[in-house]
């Protein structure tokens, strides 16, 4: 056997050991533990606001920490910052590249970021002395499209890319501080842990990975999905996360058990999931689908509790406010809707 | 040239094994404990989860249905 064959064999043995160790921890299922949980009843929400203004498909949205403003990105080449209470457009920011795939709001509210097929993460300052919005930094370095970005603070941002890596950037210097390598497919989405010490990434290699932000190490890898993972979101306690995939399922993975706890699927759901988010208690899991709907799942009992229907095209993005009072959906139909 | 390719693959295979060894050494907790913790978290915060429990009064909802005397462009 060549050295390569020996190494490959050793890798397969280690994978088998990991599978065994996961089985050993598998003493029950979430479904059986949750069987006695009081069902939450039918969840019926209304569209409270429709945000009109984009002229093309919306690809991403992100709430500000104030639970009032939000930023959306569309392939009409604009980022729009909205006041969701009044539906007013606070800023309409023309982009250098219209092929935008992601956007993010800094926790301070002072910056937004976006990126896409230009492979660059662009940072925009919303609070300049002159009163206008301008690019304050461009972060080139990825060799593939920017699929997702999230601010840690005004000077640090984490990105995920079609080049199969994630990166932590120092915005002031414009440099990559840490590269997170290991995925063997385009990384499509990332979610920061509530304590901001780790993050989860989901990729086209059908796995999710947990990363330590400081040392760049992949702590755990979560297989299970059968196709691209398009979306990931942390459970509010930080001990679990949900994923959404082209395999038409969402799943719940527990970090301390190091494995899948639940699957959210139905025989008549055959399309991919684009986006996922939890309600404030974690009991509701919102998932946006290619079939124009957003399903609301009881995350513990793994039952569908409701549906948000109202878009005329794919739901491409969604998010729940920090105060838990509303959920926003964004769609290829060019509209955003606020529901509660 | 094929020698160069093999070296790269060997390097990658070694890195993968290092990573798998790290992941294998993780101290897993039992699902019974983890599942109960998740459920307890939900139960602790569910009363204050507006998207499940709703708003005690309409006034608390920042998106409450607008008053009759406010104009709305249809």
């Amino acid at each position: 056997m060549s050295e390569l064959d020996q190494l490959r064999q050793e890798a397969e043995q280690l994978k088998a050991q990991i599978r065994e160790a996961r089985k050993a921890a598998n003493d029950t299922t979430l479904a059986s533990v949750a069987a006695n949980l009081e069902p939450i009843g039918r969840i019926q929400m209304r569209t409270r606001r429709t945000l009109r203004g984009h002229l093309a498909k919306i690809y991403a949205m992100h709430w500000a920490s104030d639970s009032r403003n939000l930023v959306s990105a569309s392939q009409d080449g604009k980022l729009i910052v909205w006041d969701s209470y009044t539906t007013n457009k606070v800023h309409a920011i023309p982009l250098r590249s219209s092929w935008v795939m992601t956007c993010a709001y800094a926790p301070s509210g002072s910056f937004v970021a976006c990126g896409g097929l230009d492979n660059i993460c662009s940072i925009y300052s919303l609070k300049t002395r002159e009163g206008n919005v301008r690019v304050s930094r461009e972060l080139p370095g990825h060799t593939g499209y920017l699929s997702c970005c999230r601010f840690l603070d005004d000077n640090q941002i984490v990105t995920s890319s079609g080049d199969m890596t994630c990166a932590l950037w120092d915005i002031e210097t414009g440099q990559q501080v840490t590269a997170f390598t290991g995925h063997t497919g385009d990384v499509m989405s990332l979610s920061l842990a509530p304590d901001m010490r780790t993050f989860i990434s989901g990729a086209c290699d059908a796995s999710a990975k947990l990363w330590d932000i400081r040392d760049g190490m992949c702590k755990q890898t979560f297989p299970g999905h059968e196709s691209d993972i398009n979306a990931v979101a942390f459970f509010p306690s930080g001990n679990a996360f949900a994923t959404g995939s082209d395999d038409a399922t969402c799943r719940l993975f527990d970090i301390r058990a190091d494995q899948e706890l639940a699957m959210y699927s139905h025989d008549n759901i055959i399309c991919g999931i684009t986006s996922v988010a939890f309600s404030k208690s974690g009991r509701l899991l919102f998932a946006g689908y290619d079939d124009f709907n957003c399903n609301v799942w009881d995350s513990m009992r793994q039952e569908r509790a409701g549906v948000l229907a109202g878009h005329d095209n794919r739901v491409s993005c969604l998010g729940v406010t920090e105060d838990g009072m509303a959920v926003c959906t964004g769609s290829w139909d060019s509209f955003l809707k606020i529901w509660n | 040239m094929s020698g160069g390719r093999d070296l790269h693959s060997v390097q990658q295979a070694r890195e993968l094994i290092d990573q798998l060894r790290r992941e294998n050494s993780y101290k897993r907790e039992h699902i019974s404990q983890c599942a109960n913790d998740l459920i307890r978290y939900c139960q602790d915060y569910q009363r204050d989860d507006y998207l499940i429990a709703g708003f005690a009064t309409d006034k608390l909802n920042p998106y409450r249905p607008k008053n009759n005397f406010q104009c709305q462009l249809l």
Side-chain angles (χ1 to χ4, degrees), chain A residues 2-5 7-8 163-164 181-184, chain B residues 1-18:
Chain A
S2 72
E3 186 185 2
L4 195 54
D5 286 333
L7 291 172
R8 284 193 179 137
D163 68 10
M164 306 196 289
T181 58
H183 275 300
T184 56
Chain B
M1 284 320 291
S2 86
R5 247 206 325 276
D6 275 348
L7 271 175
H8 183 59
S9 302
V10 164
Q11 175 64 19
Q12 278 187 320
R14 286 214 186 103
E15 282 169 8
L16 178 60
I17 285 171
D18 284 343

Side-chain angles (χ1 to χ4, degrees), chain B residues 4-67:
Chain B
R5 247 206 325 276
D6 275 348
L7 271 175
H8 183 59
S9 302
V10 164
Q11 175 64 19
Q12 278 187 320
R14 286 214 186 103
E15 282 169 8
L16 178 60
I17 285 171
D18 284 343
Q19 177 61 31
L20 287 171
R21 281 199 188 120
R22 273 192 294 268
E23 292 183 13
N24 193 25
S25 68
Y26 184 74
K27 292 276 168 278
R28 292 164 188 84
E29 295 196 22
H30 283 105
I31 288 187
S32 50
Q33 179 66 52
C34 299
N36 275 304
D37 286 350
L38 290 179
I39 287 171
R40 197 170 23 245
Y41 188 94
C42 288
Q43 289 176 319
D44 285 350
Y45 291 97
Q46 205 163 304
R47 244 194 335 256
D48 301 323
D49 189 335
Y50 297 102
L51 299 177
I52 298 177
F55 295 86
T57 67
D58 248 4
K59 265 204 158 69
L60 290 171
N61 182 356
Y63 304 97
R64 62 186 166 280
K66 291 180 174 168
N67 299 338

Side-chain angles (χ1 to χ4, degrees), chain A residues 200 210 220 222 234 238-241 253-258, chain B residues 26:
Chain A
I200 289 282
L210 174 72
Q220 289 163 252
F222 300 84
F234 258 97
N239 287 331
F241 63 92
F253 293 88
D254 189 284
I255 289 171
R256 292 175 311 166
D258 187 45
Chain B
Y26 184 74

